[in-house]
Amino acid sequence: MRLDVVTIFPEYLEPLNVSLVGKARARGLLDVRVHDLRQWTHDRHNTVDDTPYGGGPGMVMKPEPWGEALDTIIASQEGDPVVVVPTPSGRPFDQATAVELAEKPWLIFTPARYEGIDRRVVDEYGERFEVRELSIGDYVLAGGEAPVLVMVEAVARLLPGVLGNAESHRDDSFAPGAMADLLEGPVYTKPPLWRGRGIPEVLLSGHHGRIARWRRDQAFLRTARYRPDLIERCDPAALDADDRKLLTELGWAERPDGRFGRTAEGMEE
Ligand code: 6GU
């Protein structure tokens, strides 16, 4: 997969040289190219921003440097990229988005500073390519560079050969399938006793069925506490008799459509 990032802070993308993404690059699984947007400016001050039409606070990124940058990068290789525009006003970036992006051969990221990029840039490239405006969550960051690091890591770990073990994604929280849409529960390793704290007996039992059940119960306990919205959305077909029993004990009630909702008892803490 080829990844281009256009930014006024190339140093901010240094973490792409480290760890999982850095190793994937070193092994030739990822071709990452970080570009300084200011190389496509032509004035003495390398200006990339200007005041907003209609007034208001802050500055807006000028369209011309972005247009020259994107034209140059797009012309450098055959084929059509997907252009990813990080913005707090975008669609939520989630695991399903990461899976879709991991199937593309070429992504170009356009992290902005200030109040964002002149709208005409998205309109222009949106007519010629797939453009995705994506937000990583409901909070505001000063720029799109940190979101690019987040999205690249989420995508890169899904590429064939990047993680050691293909099974590693199977139980991910939010992975489509088996433990679908449940948060993962706690994990333990050696030593068996640390500061007087032991390991849940069942994990030492060697009883694979009981271990799987315990893990699933732990996932429900954690999800019910931290992400009750995920329980409410849970496909009733994905819930077995033990799941239903546990949720009922936790103060959840089965609705007529088979989905679970919180009762007054379940709303406590
Ligand atoms: Cl993608 N950009 C910025 N600036 N803030 C954000 C974001 C993106 N996603 C959440 N907050």
Side-chain angles (χ1 to χ4, degrees):
M1 169 180 276
R2 174 169 169 184
L3 300 178
D4 290 87
V5 185
V6 184
T7 171
I8 59 169
F9 293 121
E11 330 82 86
Y12 209 123
L13 283 302
E14 281 294 309
L16 296 178
N17 295 318
V18 178
S19 188
L20 172 120
V21 175
K23 280 190 196 121
R25 293 175 78 174
R27 293 167 57 204
L29 299 168
L30 261 185
D31 172 9
V32 179
R33 307 185 197 181
V34 177
H35 313 268
D36 187 344
L37 178 68
R38 292 192 201 274
Q39 75 183 99
W40 290 286
T41 58
H42 305 289
D43 65 312
R44 280 198 314 129
H45 297 107
N46 302 119
T47 309
V48 292
D49 61 331
D50 206 336
T51 53
Y53 275 116
M59 298 290 271
V60 174
M61 296 192 94
K62 295 163 64 61
E64 305 98 314
W66 285 106
E68 285 190 35
L70 292 170
D71 287 349
T72 306
I73 293 164
I74 291 166
S76 73
Q77 182 171 300
E78 294 281 279
D80 290 348
V82 173
V83 179
V84 178
V85 180
T87 165
S89 333
R91 282 213 172 89
F93 175 81
D94 60 10
Q95 189 64 25
T97 316
V99 169
E100 286 172 21
L101 294 181
E103 287 160 5
K104 313 286 184 182
W106 186 8
L107 306 176
I108 304 180
F109 291 89
T110 64
R113 291 269 144 179
Y114 317 110
E115 300 301 309
I117 306 173
D118 186 301
R119 183 69 215 171
R120 293 169 292 181
V121 175
V122 165
D123 295 342
E124 166 82 4
Y125 291 90
E127 279 182 6
R128 290 147 62 188
F129 303 100
E130 182 179 344
V131 174
R132 302 269 194 117
E133 293 182 275
L134 297 173
S135 163
I136 63 163
D138 293 340
Y139 39 81
V140 178
L141 300 170
E145 285 77 7
V148 169
L149 295 175
V150 167
M151 292 189 263
V152 169
E153 185 157 318
V155 169
R157 64 186 288 285
L158 298 175
L159 299 177
V162 169
L163 283 193
N165 173 0
E167 295 276 281
S168 310
H169 327 134
R170 195 200 48 211
D171 290 345
D172 287 351
S173 296
F174 308 111
M179 293 278 261
D181 300 327
L182 292 179
L183 304 184
E184 282 182 51
V187 294
Y188 299 87
T189 185
K190 289 166 277 296
L193 194 63
W194 180 74
R195 299 192 180 178
R197 298 166 190 276
I199 307 292
E201 201 50 51
V202 60
L203 297 180
L204 308 172
S205 69
H207 200 298
H208 300 299
R210 281 179 48 216
I211 291 170
R213 185 64 244 172
W214 181 85
R215 287 192 168 140
R216 192 163 169 90
D217 289 348
Q218 293 298 313
F220 274 103
L221 287 169
R222 174 171 279 255
T223 308
R225 171 176 289 208
Y226 289 165
R227 293 295 305 278
D229 58 305
L230 296 180
I231 303 278
E232 293 186 340
R233 267 195 268 144
C234 208
D235 176 4
L239 301 173
D240 66 24
D242 290 330
D243 300 339
R244 288 163 192 284
K245 179 158 172 285
L246 177 63
L247 286 173
T248 307
E249 285 166 7
L250 293 176
W252 291 70
E254 192 167 351
R255 299 221 166 96
D257 67 355
R259 286 181 206 279
F260 275 78
R262 274 168 286 183
T263 60
E265 191 191 343
M267 300 287 253
E268 285 156 29
E269 109 184 285

